Amino acid sequence: MRDGICPKCGSNDVYKRRNGLHDGDRDGRVTLITGPLNSPSPTMAYVCANCGYFELYIDDTIKLAQISEHWERAHGQN
Ligand SMILES: [Zn+2]
């Protein structure tokens, strides 16, 4: 998706926007729990204008490093 190609329909009609997904009360950032002090992280949203599929990425390298320290690594089955 970040390469500009939709993984669902194959269209290149893909657009992105920083903090582009807004849930009403917030400004498009999300809060990931990594400890007692959690601040909202910016996101980058990608939307396919052909089929409507979208993806959301955390756009915060410090928070991503904290996630790898505090969250459980995902494996194939569980
Ligand atoms: Zn698509």
Side-chain angles (χ1 to χ4, degrees):
M1 195 82 170
R2 289 189 280 195
D3 62 1
I5 304 298
C6 176
K8 299 298 181 183
C9 75
S11 172
N12 65 356
D13 205 11
V14 172
Y15 299 86
K16 68 177 183 179
R17 182 169 177 161
R18 188 173 171 89
N19 298 327
L21 188 68
H22 193 293
D23 72 359
D25 291 335
R26 296 177 181 270
D27 57 5
R29 296 180 297 166
V30 299
T31 301
L32 297 163
I33 307 301
T34 56
L37 299 175
N38 297 291
S39 57
S41 295
T43 61
M44 186 65 78
Y46 290 79
V47 175
C48 173
N50 183 55
C51 74
Y53 179 74
F54 76 91
E55 291 182 354
L56 188 64
Y57 292 84
I58 303 300
D59 195 15
D60 181 337
T61 55
I62 293 173
K63 181 61 75 173
L64 292 177
Q66 291 174 345
I67 290 293
S68 67
E69 292 176 13
H70 296 282
W71 285 30
E72 180 181 354
R73 182 180 287 273
H75 297 287
Q77 292 296 317
N78 299 327

Short mmCIF file of all heavy atoms in Angstrom, two decimals, residues 3-64:
data_model
loop_
_atom_site.label_atom_id
_atom_site.label_comp_id
_atom_site.label_asym_id
_atom_site.label_seq_id
_atom_site.Cartn_x
_atom_site.Cartn_y
_atom_site.Cartn_z
N ASP A 3 3.56 1.61 -1.32
CA ASP A 3 4.20 1.78 -2.63
C ASP A 3 3.22 2.39 -3.64
O ASP A 3 3.55 2.54 -4.81
CB ASP A 3 4.74 0.45 -3.13
CG ASP A 3 3.66 -0.59 -3.33
OD1 ASP A 3 2.47 -0.30 -3.10
OD2 ASP A 3 4.01 -1.73 -3.71
N GLY A 4 2.01 2.72 -3.18
CA GLY A 4 1.05 3.35 -4.07
C GLY A 4 0.16 2.37 -4.80
O GLY A 4 -0.65 2.79 -5.64
N ILE A 5 0.28 1.08 -4.50
CA ILE A 5 -0.53 0.05 -5.14
C ILE A 5 -1.45 -0.58 -4.09
O ILE A 5 -0.98 -1.02 -3.03
CB ILE A 5 0.35 -1.04 -5.78
CG1 ILE A 5 1.33 -0.43 -6.78
CG2 ILE A 5 -0.53 -2.10 -6.46
CD1 ILE A 5 0.68 0.27 -7.96
N CYS A 6 -2.73 -0.67 -4.36
CA CYS A 6 -3.66 -1.28 -3.43
C CYS A 6 -3.48 -2.80 -3.43
O CYS A 6 -3.54 -3.43 -4.49
CB CYS A 6 -5.10 -0.94 -3.83
SG CYS A 6 -6.32 -1.76 -2.80
N PRO A 7 -3.25 -3.41 -2.25
CA PRO A 7 -3.04 -4.86 -2.19
C PRO A 7 -4.33 -5.66 -2.42
O PRO A 7 -4.26 -6.86 -2.62
CB PRO A 7 -2.50 -5.09 -0.79
CG PRO A 7 -3.07 -3.97 0.01
CD PRO A 7 -3.14 -2.79 -0.92
N LYS A 8 -5.46 -5.01 -2.39
CA LYS A 8 -6.74 -5.72 -2.56
C LYS A 8 -7.20 -5.73 -4.01
O LYS A 8 -7.64 -6.77 -4.52
CB LYS A 8 -7.83 -5.08 -1.69
CG LYS A 8 -7.53 -5.14 -0.21
CD LYS A 8 -7.42 -6.57 0.27
CE LYS A 8 -7.14 -6.62 1.76
NZ LYS A 8 -6.95 -7.99 2.24
N CYS A 9 -7.14 -4.59 -4.68
CA CYS A 9 -7.67 -4.53 -6.05
C CYS A 9 -6.62 -4.24 -7.10
O CYS A 9 -6.91 -4.31 -8.29
CB CYS A 9 -8.80 -3.51 -6.12
SG CYS A 9 -8.25 -1.78 -6.10
N GLY A 10 -5.39 -3.90 -6.67
CA GLY A 10 -4.31 -3.66 -7.62
C GLY A 10 -4.28 -2.27 -8.22
O GLY A 10 -3.41 -1.96 -9.03
N SER A 11 -5.20 -1.41 -7.83
CA SER A 11 -5.26 -0.05 -8.37
C SER A 11 -4.10 0.79 -7.86
O SER A 11 -3.59 0.57 -6.77
CB SER A 11 -6.59 0.60 -7.96
OG SER A 11 -6.59 1.98 -8.32
N ASN A 12 -3.69 1.77 -8.67
CA ASN A 12 -2.69 2.74 -8.19
C ASN A 12 -3.36 4.05 -7.78
O ASN A 12 -2.70 5.07 -7.61
CB ASN A 12 -1.62 2.99 -9.25
CG ASN A 12 -2.19 3.64 -10.50
OD1 ASN A 12 -3.40 3.86 -10.61
ND2 ASN A 12 -1.31 3.95 -11.45
N ASP A 13 -4.67 4.01 -7.55
CA ASP A 13 -5.42 5.19 -7.13
C ASP A 13 -5.41 5.26 -5.60
O ASP A 13 -6.45 5.20 -4.94
CB ASP A 13 -6.84 5.10 -7.68
CG ASP A 13 -7.50 6.46 -7.84
OD1 ASP A 13 -6.79 7.48 -7.72
OD2 ASP A 13 -8.72 6.50 -8.06
N VAL A 14 -4.22 5.37 -5.04
CA VAL A 14 -4.01 5.32 -3.59
C VAL A 14 -3.53 6.68 -3.10
O VAL A 14 -2.67 7.30 -3.72
CB VAL A 14 -2.97 4.22 -3.23
CG1 VAL A 14 -2.60 4.29 -1.76
CG2 VAL A 14 -3.51 2.85 -3.59
N TYR A 15 -4.10 7.12 -1.97
CA TYR A 15 -3.78 8.43 -1.41
C TYR A 15 -3.39 8.27 0.06
O TYR A 15 -3.80 7.30 0.72
CB TYR A 15 -4.99 9.36 -1.53
CG TYR A 15 -5.37 9.57 -2.97
CD1 TYR A 15 -6.24 8.67 -3.61
CD2 TYR A 15 -4.83 10.60 -3.72
CE1 TYR A 15 -6.56 8.82 -4.95
CE2 TYR A 15 -5.14 10.76 -5.06
CZ TYR A 15 -6.01 9.87 -5.67
OH TYR A 15 -6.31 10.01 -6.98
N LYS A 16 -2.62 9.20 0.56
CA LYS A 16 -2.20 9.13 1.96
C LYS A 16 -2.39 10.48 2.62
O LYS A 16 -2.40 11.53 1.96
CB LYS A 16 -0.74 8.69 2.07
CG LYS A 16 0.26 9.70 1.56
CD LYS A 16 1.68 9.21 1.78
CE LYS A 16 2.70 10.26 1.33
NZ LYS A 16 4.08 9.81 1.57
N ARG A 17 -2.56 10.43 3.97
CA ARG A 17 -2.66 11.67 4.74
C ARG A 17 -2.21 11.40 6.17
O ARG A 17 -2.67 10.44 6.80
CB ARG A 17 -4.10 12.18 4.73
CG ARG A 17 -4.25 13.50 5.48
CD ARG A 17 -5.60 14.13 5.25
NE ARG A 17 -5.73 15.34 6.04
CZ ARG A 17 -6.60 16.29 5.79
NH1 ARG A 17 -7.44 16.18 4.78
NH2 ARG A 17 -6.66 17.36 6.55
N ARG A 18 -1.36 12.28 6.66
CA ARG A 18 -0.91 12.19 8.05
C ARG A 18 -2.09 12.48 8.97
O ARG A 18 -2.81 13.46 8.78
CB ARG A 18 0.24 13.17 8.29
CG ARG A 18 0.91 13.03 9.65
CD ARG A 18 2.14 13.96 9.67
NE ARG A 18 2.74 14.07 10.97
CZ ARG A 18 3.70 13.26 11.43
NH1 ARG A 18 4.15 12.29 10.67
NH2 ARG A 18 4.21 13.43 12.63
N ASN A 19 -2.28 11.63 9.96
CA ASN A 19 -3.41 11.74 10.90
C ASN A 19 -4.75 11.85 10.16
O ASN A 19 -5.66 12.55 10.59
CB ASN A 19 -3.22 12.93 11.85
CG ASN A 19 -1.99 12.78 12.71
OD1 ASN A 19 -1.62 11.68 13.09
ND2 ASN A 19 -1.34 13.88 13.02
N GLY A 20 -4.86 11.14 9.07
CA GLY A 20 -6.02 11.28 8.20
C GLY A 20 -7.25 10.52 8.66
O GLY A 20 -8.34 10.75 8.15
N LEU A 21 -7.09 9.59 9.61
CA LEU A 21 -8.24 8.83 10.09
C LEU A 21 -8.67 9.42 11.43
O LEU A 21 -7.95 9.34 12.42
CB LEU A 21 -7.88 7.36 10.25
CG LEU A 21 -9.04 6.43 10.57
CD1 LEU A 21 -9.99 6.35 9.40
CD2 LEU A 21 -8.54 5.05 10.92
N HIS A 22 -9.83 9.98 11.48
CA HIS A 22 -10.30 10.77 12.62
C HIS A 22 -11.54 10.09 13.18
O HIS A 22 -12.47 9.82 12.45
CB HIS A 22 -10.62 12.17 12.10
CG HIS A 22 -10.83 13.21 13.15
ND1 HIS A 22 -11.89 13.20 14.01
CD2 HIS A 22 -10.11 14.30 13.46
CE1 HIS A 22 -11.81 14.25 14.81
NE2 HIS A 22 -10.74 14.93 14.50
N ASP A 23 -11.56 9.83 14.50
CA ASP A 23 -12.70 9.10 15.06
C ASP A 23 -13.72 10.00 15.74
O ASP A 23 -14.65 9.53 16.38
CB ASP A 23 -12.21 8.01 16.02
CG ASP A 23 -11.69 8.59 17.34
OD1 ASP A 23 -11.68 9.82 17.50
OD2 ASP A 23 -11.31 7.80 18.19
N GLY A 24 -13.58 11.28 15.63
CA GLY A 24 -14.58 12.19 16.18
C GLY A 24 -14.02 13.06 17.29
O GLY A 24 -14.10 14.27 17.21
N ASP A 25 -13.44 12.47 18.32
CA ASP A 25 -12.92 13.24 19.43
C ASP A 25 -11.45 13.56 19.28
O ASP A 25 -10.95 14.50 19.87
CB ASP A 25 -13.10 12.48 20.75
CG ASP A 25 -14.55 12.37 21.13
OD1 ASP A 25 -15.34 13.21 20.70
OD2 ASP A 25 -14.90 11.41 21.85
N ARG A 26 -10.76 12.78 18.50
CA ARG A 26 -9.31 12.93 18.42
C ARG A 26 -8.91 13.61 17.13
O ARG A 26 -9.73 13.94 16.29
CB ARG A 26 -8.64 11.57 18.55
CG ARG A 26 -8.89 10.95 19.91
CD ARG A 26 -8.26 9.56 19.98
NE ARG A 26 -8.52 8.96 21.26
CZ ARG A 26 -7.72 9.09 22.32
NH1 ARG A 26 -6.63 9.78 22.22
NH2 ARG A 26 -8.02 8.52 23.45
N ASP A 27 -7.61 13.79 16.99
CA ASP A 27 -7.09 14.51 15.84
C ASP A 27 -6.40 13.59 14.84
O ASP A 27 -5.59 14.03 14.06
CB ASP A 27 -6.12 15.58 16.31
CG ASP A 27 -4.98 15.00 17.13
OD1 ASP A 27 -4.89 13.76 17.25
OD2 ASP A 27 -4.16 15.77 17.64
N GLY A 28 -6.73 12.31 14.89
CA GLY A 28 -6.13 11.35 13.97
C GLY A 28 -4.97 10.59 14.57
O GLY A 28 -4.49 9.62 13.98
N ARG A 29 -4.50 11.02 15.75
CA ARG A 29 -3.44 10.28 16.43
C ARG A 29 -4.05 9.15 17.24
O ARG A 29 -5.25 9.16 17.54
CB ARG A 29 -2.63 11.20 17.34
CG ARG A 29 -1.89 12.30 16.58
CD ARG A 29 -1.11 13.20 17.51
NE ARG A 29 -1.99 13.91 18.43
CZ ARG A 29 -1.58 14.55 19.52
NH1 ARG A 29 -0.29 14.59 19.81
NH2 ARG A 29 -2.44 15.15 20.30
N VAL A 30 -3.24 8.16 17.59
CA VAL A 30 -3.71 7.04 18.41
C VAL A 30 -2.77 6.88 19.59
O VAL A 30 -1.59 7.24 19.52
CB VAL A 30 -3.79 5.71 17.62
CG1 VAL A 30 -4.76 5.84 16.46
CG2 VAL A 30 -2.42 5.29 17.15
N THR A 31 -3.29 6.33 20.69
CA THR A 31 -2.48 6.11 21.88
C THR A 31 -2.23 4.63 22.07
O THR A 31 -3.17 3.85 22.26
CB THR A 31 -3.17 6.68 23.13
OG1 THR A 31 -3.40 8.08 22.93
CG2 THR A 31 -2.31 6.48 24.36
N LEU A 32 -0.98 4.22 21.98
CA LEU A 32 -0.57 2.83 22.20
C LEU A 32 -0.02 2.71 23.61
O LEU A 32 0.78 3.54 24.04
CB LEU A 32 0.51 2.44 21.18
CG LEU A 32 0.04 2.49 19.73
CD1 LEU A 32 1.24 2.50 18.80
CD2 LEU A 32 -0.85 1.31 19.42
N ILE A 33 -0.46 1.69 24.33
CA ILE A 33 -0.08 1.53 25.72
C ILE A 33 1.27 0.83 25.83
O ILE A 33 1.42 -0.32 25.43
CB ILE A 33 -1.15 0.71 26.47
CG1 ILE A 33 -2.54 1.29 26.27
CG2 ILE A 33 -0.79 0.60 27.95
CD1 ILE A 33 -2.70 2.72 26.73
N THR A 34 2.26 1.54 26.35
CA THR A 34 3.58 0.94 26.56
C THR A 34 4.09 1.16 27.97
O THR A 34 5.15 0.68 28.32
CB THR A 34 4.62 1.49 25.57
OG1 THR A 34 4.66 2.90 25.69
CG2 THR A 34 4.28 1.09 24.14
N GLY A 35 3.38 1.91 28.78
CA GLY A 35 3.86 2.17 30.12
C GLY A 35 2.91 3.13 30.82
O GLY A 35 1.82 3.40 30.32
N PRO A 36 3.31 3.66 31.98
CA PRO A 36 2.42 4.53 32.73
C PRO A 36 2.18 5.88 32.04
O PRO A 36 1.15 6.51 32.26
CB PRO A 36 3.14 4.71 34.07
CG PRO A 36 4.56 4.39 33.79
CD PRO A 36 4.55 3.36 32.70
N LEU A 37 3.13 6.32 31.23
CA LEU A 37 2.98 7.59 30.53
C LEU A 37 2.83 7.31 29.04
O LEU A 37 3.77 6.84 28.40
CB LEU A 37 4.18 8.50 30.77
CG LEU A 37 4.42 8.88 32.24
CD1 LEU A 37 5.72 9.67 32.37
CD2 LEU A 37 3.25 9.66 32.79
N ASN A 38 1.66 7.57 28.51
CA ASN A 38 1.40 7.27 27.10
C ASN A 38 0.90 8.52 26.40
O ASN A 38 -0.11 9.09 26.80
CB ASN A 38 0.35 6.17 26.99
CG ASN A 38 0.84 4.87 27.60
OD1 ASN A 38 1.74 4.24 27.07
ND2 ASN A 38 0.28 4.50 28.73
N SER A 39 1.62 8.93 25.38
CA SER A 39 1.19 10.09 24.61
C SER A 39 0.72 9.63 23.23
O SER A 39 1.19 8.62 22.72
CB SER A 39 2.35 11.08 24.48
OG SER A 39 3.46 10.44 23.88
N PRO A 40 -0.19 10.38 22.64
CA PRO A 40 -0.70 9.98 21.32
C PRO A 40 0.40 10.02 20.26
O PRO A 40 1.28 10.89 20.30
CB PRO A 40 -1.77 11.03 21.03
CG PRO A 40 -2.13 11.60 22.36
CD PRO A 40 -0.89 11.55 23.17
N SER A 41 0.33 9.10 19.34
CA SER A 41 1.29 9.03 18.24
C SER A 41 0.61 9.44 16.94
O SER A 41 -0.55 9.10 16.70
CB SER A 41 1.81 7.60 18.07
OG SER A 41 2.53 7.20 19.20
N PRO A 42 1.34 10.14 16.07
CA PRO A 42 0.78 10.43 14.76
C PRO A 42 0.67 9.15 13.93
O PRO A 42 1.36 8.17 14.19
CB PRO A 42 1.80 11.39 14.14
CG PRO A 42 3.07 11.12 14.87
CD PRO A 42 2.69 10.68 16.25
N THR A 43 -0.21 9.19 12.96
CA THR A 43 -0.40 8.05 12.07
C THR A 43 -0.32 8.52 10.62
O THR A 43 -0.42 9.72 10.33
CB THR A 43 -1.78 7.41 12.28
OG1 THR A 43 -2.80 8.36 11.99
CG2 THR A 43 -1.94 6.88 13.70
N MET A 44 -0.14 7.56 9.72
CA MET A 44 -0.24 7.84 8.29
C MET A 44 -1.30 6.89 7.73
O MET A 44 -1.18 5.68 7.87
CB MET A 44 1.10 7.62 7.59
CG MET A 44 1.09 8.03 6.13
SD MET A 44 0.86 9.82 5.89
CE MET A 44 2.50 10.41 6.26
N ALA A 45 -2.34 7.48 7.17
CA ALA A 45 -3.43 6.69 6.61
C ALA A 45 -3.29 6.62 5.10
O ALA A 45 -2.94 7.60 4.44
CB ALA A 45 -4.77 7.32 6.98
N TYR A 46 -3.55 5.41 4.55
CA TYR A 46 -3.57 5.20 3.10
C TYR A 46 -4.94 4.69 2.72
O TYR A 46 -5.48 3.80 3.37
CB TYR A 46 -2.53 4.15 2.69
CG TYR A 46 -1.10 4.61 2.83
CD1 TYR A 46 -0.47 4.62 4.08
CD2 TYR A 46 -0.38 5.03 1.72
CE1 TYR A 46 0.83 5.06 4.20
CE2 TYR A 46 0.94 5.46 1.85
CZ TYR A 46 1.53 5.47 3.09
OH TYR A 46 2.82 5.91 3.21
N VAL A 47 -5.52 5.27 1.68
CA VAL A 47 -6.84 4.86 1.22
C VAL A 47 -6.79 4.61 -0.29
O VAL A 47 -6.23 5.42 -1.03
CB VAL A 47 -7.90 5.93 1.53
CG1 VAL A 47 -9.26 5.55 0.94
CG2 VAL A 47 -8.02 6.15 3.03
N CYS A 48 -7.39 3.52 -0.70
CA CYS A 48 -7.56 3.24 -2.12
C CYS A 48 -8.88 3.88 -2.56
O CYS A 48 -9.94 3.51 -2.05
CB CYS A 48 -7.59 1.74 -2.38
SG CYS A 48 -7.99 1.34 -4.11
N ALA A 49 -8.80 4.82 -3.46
CA ALA A 49 -10.00 5.51 -3.93
C ALA A 49 -10.78 4.66 -4.92
O ALA A 49 -11.89 5.04 -5.32
CB ALA A 49 -9.62 6.85 -4.56
N ASN A 50 -10.24 3.52 -5.32
CA ASN A 50 -10.97 2.64 -6.23
C ASN A 50 -11.89 1.68 -5.49
O ASN A 50 -13.08 1.58 -5.80
CB ASN A 50 -9.98 1.85 -7.09
CG ASN A 50 -10.68 0.97 -8.11
OD1 ASN A 50 -11.48 1.47 -8.89
ND2 ASN A 50 -10.39 -0.32 -8.09
N CYS A 51 -11.36 1.00 -4.44
CA CYS A 51 -12.17 0.00 -3.74
C CYS A 51 -12.50 0.38 -2.29
O CYS A 51 -13.32 -0.27 -1.65
CB CYS A 51 -11.48 -1.37 -3.77
SG CYS A 51 -10.06 -1.52 -2.67
N GLY A 52 -11.83 1.39 -1.75
CA GLY A 52 -12.12 1.84 -0.39
C GLY A 52 -11.27 1.19 0.68
O GLY A 52 -11.38 1.56 1.86
N TYR A 53 -10.44 0.25 0.33
CA TYR A 53 -9.56 -0.37 1.32
C TYR A 53 -8.64 0.69 1.92
O TYR A 53 -8.19 1.60 1.22
CB TYR A 53 -8.73 -1.48 0.66
CG TYR A 53 -7.78 -2.16 1.61
CD1 TYR A 53 -8.25 -3.05 2.56
CD2 TYR A 53 -6.41 -1.92 1.54
CE1 TYR A 53 -7.39 -3.67 3.44
CE2 TYR A 53 -5.54 -2.54 2.41
CZ TYR A 53 -6.03 -3.41 3.35
OH TYR A 53 -5.17 -4.02 4.21
N PHE A 54 -8.37 0.58 3.26
CA PHE A 54 -7.42 1.50 3.85
C PHE A 54 -6.50 0.80 4.83
O PHE A 54 -6.84 -0.26 5.37
CB PHE A 54 -8.13 2.69 4.52
CG PHE A 54 -8.75 2.37 5.86
CD1 PHE A 54 -8.04 2.53 7.04
CD2 PHE A 54 -10.06 1.93 5.92
CE1 PHE A 54 -8.61 2.24 8.26
CE2 PHE A 54 -10.64 1.63 7.15
CZ PHE A 54 -9.92 1.78 8.31
N GLU A 55 -5.35 1.40 5.04
CA GLU A 55 -4.39 0.93 6.03
C GLU A 55 -3.95 2.11 6.87
O GLU A 55 -3.92 3.24 6.40
CB GLU A 55 -3.16 0.31 5.35
CG GLU A 55 -3.44 -1.00 4.65
CD GLU A 55 -2.20 -1.61 4.03
OE1 GLU A 55 -1.13 -0.96 4.04
OE2 GLU A 55 -2.30 -2.74 3.53
N LEU A 56 -3.57 1.80 8.12
CA LEU A 56 -3.15 2.84 9.05
C LEU A 56 -1.82 2.43 9.67
O LEU A 56 -1.69 1.32 10.18
CB LEU A 56 -4.22 3.02 10.13
CG LEU A 56 -4.05 4.19 11.09
CD1 LEU A 56 -4.14 5.52 10.33
CD2 LEU A 56 -5.10 4.13 12.18
N TYR A 57 -0.85 3.33 9.63
CA TYR A 57 0.48 3.06 10.16
C TYR A 57 0.81 4.04 11.28
O TYR A 57 0.49 5.23 11.18
CB TYR A 57 1.54 3.21 9.06
CG TYR A 57 1.44 2.15 8.00
CD1 TYR A 57 0.55 2.30 6.94
CD2 TYR A 57 2.21 1.00 8.06
CE1 TYR A 57 0.44 1.33 5.97
CE2 TYR A 57 2.10 0.03 7.09
CZ TYR A 57 1.22 0.19 6.04
OH TYR A 57 1.11 -0.77 5.09
N ILE A 58 1.45 3.55 12.32
CA ILE A 58 1.99 4.42 13.35
C ILE A 58 3.19 5.15 12.77
O ILE A 58 4.11 4.52 12.26
CB ILE A 58 2.41 3.61 14.60
CG1 ILE A 58 1.23 2.80 15.15
CG2 ILE A 58 3.02 4.52 15.66
CD1 ILE A 58 0.05 3.64 15.57
N ASP A 59 3.19 6.46 12.84
CA ASP A 59 4.24 7.27 12.24
C ASP A 59 5.07 7.91 13.35
O ASP A 59 5.09 9.12 13.52
CB ASP A 59 3.60 8.32 11.33
CG ASP A 59 4.60 8.96 10.39
OD1 ASP A 59 5.71 8.42 10.24
OD2 ASP A 59 4.28 10.02 9.83
N ASP A 60 5.71 7.04 14.16
CA ASP A 60 6.37 7.50 15.38
C ASP A 60 7.46 6.47 15.72
O ASP A 60 7.18 5.44 16.31
CB ASP A 60 5.32 7.60 16.49
CG ASP A 60 5.87 8.10 17.82
OD1 ASP A 60 7.09 7.98 18.06
OD2 ASP A 60 5.07 8.58 18.62
N THR A 61 8.71 6.74 15.35
CA THR A 61 9.77 5.75 15.51
C THR A 61 10.07 5.46 16.98
O THR A 61 10.43 4.33 17.32
CB THR A 61 11.06 6.21 14.80
OG1 THR A 61 11.43 7.49 15.29
CG2 THR A 61 10.86 6.26 13.30
N ILE A 62 9.92 6.46 17.85
CA ILE A 62 10.18 6.22 19.28
C ILE A 62 9.13 5.26 19.84
O ILE A 62 9.45 4.30 20.55
CB ILE A 62 10.17 7.56 20.05
CG1 ILE A 62 11.37 8.39 19.62
CG2 ILE A 62 10.19 7.31 21.56
CD1 ILE A 62 11.38 9.80 20.19
N LYS A 63 7.87 5.48 19.48
CA LYS A 63 6.81 4.59 19.97
C LYS A 63 6.98 3.18 19.41
O LYS A 63 6.76 2.19 20.12
CB LYS A 63 5.44 5.16 19.61
CG LYS A 63 4.27 4.34 20.09
CD LYS A 63 4.23 4.18 21.60
CE LYS A 63 3.78 5.42 22.30
NZ LYS A 63 3.57 5.22 23.75
N LEU A 64 7.38 3.07 18.18
CA LEU A 64 7.58 1.74 17.59
C LEU A 64 8.69 0.98 18.33
O LEU A 64 8.57 -0.22 18.56
CB LEU A 64 7.92 1.85 16.10
CG LEU A 64 6.77 2.36 15.22
CD1 LEU A 64 7.25 2.51 13.78
CD2 LEU A 64 5.56 1.46 15.30
#
